Amino acid sequence: MRLLFINGVNLNMTGLREKDVYGAQTLDEINYEIVEHFSEDSCEFYQSNNEGDICTAIQCAEGFDGIILNAGAFTHYSYAIRDAIASVGTPVVEVHMSNVHAREEFRKKSVLSEVCKGVICGFGKNSYILAGESFKL
Ligand code: DQA
């Protein structure tokens, strides 16, 4: 099984920003734990703060069994990322570390969910692992 973990805007600041919401571990530390869970061969990681680069990463994901996507704030307004997801055959699971439904009003709306296989949120770094596990079912 090959999984592509894509993190969008501001996720590179994980461990440094809003630690009470996203935890104290850096994205590299979280990715290390994901590799420990699934194995090195089955995981690839990509992070970008640029919307178009996220679209390109999704378009180039042929050969992966699934994409685990935390698009960050892009989730709430990026029709470009939504169209990229809809344009490929690779299934995408949307993830969020925080429970977006228990936060500000604007976070309750995702323009991506409709074109994703499923959504997992609220489990901190384990949201990524739960999303990856879903591809084993
Ligand atoms: C997030 C939730 C988003 O609303 C926010 O903009 C993020 C992170 C999460 O992982 O909880 O940057 O996707």
Side-chain angles (χ1 to χ4, degrees), residues 11-25:
L11 271 305
N12 58 313
M13 295 293 287
T14 305
L16 302 173
R17 68 162 179 163
E18 299 176 88
K19 292 183 192 177
D20 51 323
V21 180
Y22 303 116
Q25 283 181 294

Side-chain angles (χ1 to χ4, degrees), residues 9 11 17 22 70 72-73 76 95-98 100 103 107:
V9 63
L11 271 305
R17 68 162 179 163
Y22 303 116
N70 185 350
H76 311 300
V95 306
H96 303 285
M97 287 189 275
S98 64
V100 286
R103 300 181 65 194
R107 293 187 206 277

Side-chain angles (χ1 to χ4, degrees), residues 48-80:
S48 176
N49 289 326
N50 299 312
E51 187 180 18
D53 291 339
I54 304 283
C55 294
T56 303
I58 292 166
Q59 291 167 8
C60 295
E62 208 175 301
F64 285 93
D65 298 295
I67 297 171
I68 290 95
L69 173 65
N70 185 350
F74 289 145
T75 304
H76 311 300
Y77 63 88
S78 176
Y79 296 116

